[in-house]
Amino acid sequence: MTDLDVAQLQRRLADFAASRAWEPYHTPKNLSAALSVEASELLEIFQWLTPEQSARVMEDTDTAFRVTDEVADVLAYLLQFCEVLGIDVLAALAAKIDRNEKRFPVPSGVEPTERHSSE
């Protein structure tokens, strides 16, 4: 992980758009559509892979680059969308996790599964 934070990234994205006079196009409708398109481009990489192949997708340098690039596009549009609507993306996520923990309690007798780590 880097020392970048969400607000800093949102500012860079806003500055990038402003310097190109793109703000009129960055409406919630347009940004949500762009987010959907980019998420679809990420999905396209995995479309015909088996579950096993999809789990190993980062082992191929070219495919790993494509996945990483599409993830960046999805995040960029999500951050811009949240900026335009004044949504604190981290607070929204934390609140959603809280609701899900209440909505889907851990069943008794269930052992946690092993998590994959990027480290």
Side-chain angles (χ1 to χ4, degrees), residues 1-113:
M1 200 59 148
T2 65
D3 290 333
L4 298 175
D5 63 23
V6 172
Q8 182 182 19
L9 291 171
Q10 284 177 308
R11 180 80 264 134
R12 285 186 66 193
L13 288 164
D15 291 346
F16 181 87
S19 66
R20 289 152 180 84
W22 290 352
E23 297 105 325
Y25 308 106
H26 285 196
T27 65
K29 177 194 134 329
N30 289 350
L31 291 169
S32 63
L35 175 58
S36 176
V37 169
E38 295 301 338
S40 294
E41 290 178 4
L42 177 61
L43 175 60
E44 183 180 28
I45 298 166
F46 294 88
Q47 184 174 8
W48 302 113
L49 301 180
T50 65
E52 295 78 18
Q53 289 169 324
S54 71
R56 295 188 313 271
V57 75
M58 299 306 280
E59 293 171 7
D60 177 77
T61 306
D62 292 336
T63 307
F65 176 80
R66 289 178 55 216
V67 169
T68 303
D69 212 42
E70 294 305 336
V71 165
D73 287 342
V74 168
L75 183 57
Y77 280 117
L78 179 61
L79 291 177
Q80 290 173 89
F81 178 83
C82 290
E83 176 74 14
V84 166
L85 291 180
I87 296 169
D88 179 334
V89 67
L90 296 181
L93 177 56
K96 181 68 175 186
I97 293 169
D98 290 345
R99 288 192 305 277
N100 283 344
E101 287 174 340
K102 290 179 182 126
R103 187 172 170 207
F104 305 105
V106 176
S108 59
V110 172
E111 291 295 321
T113 57

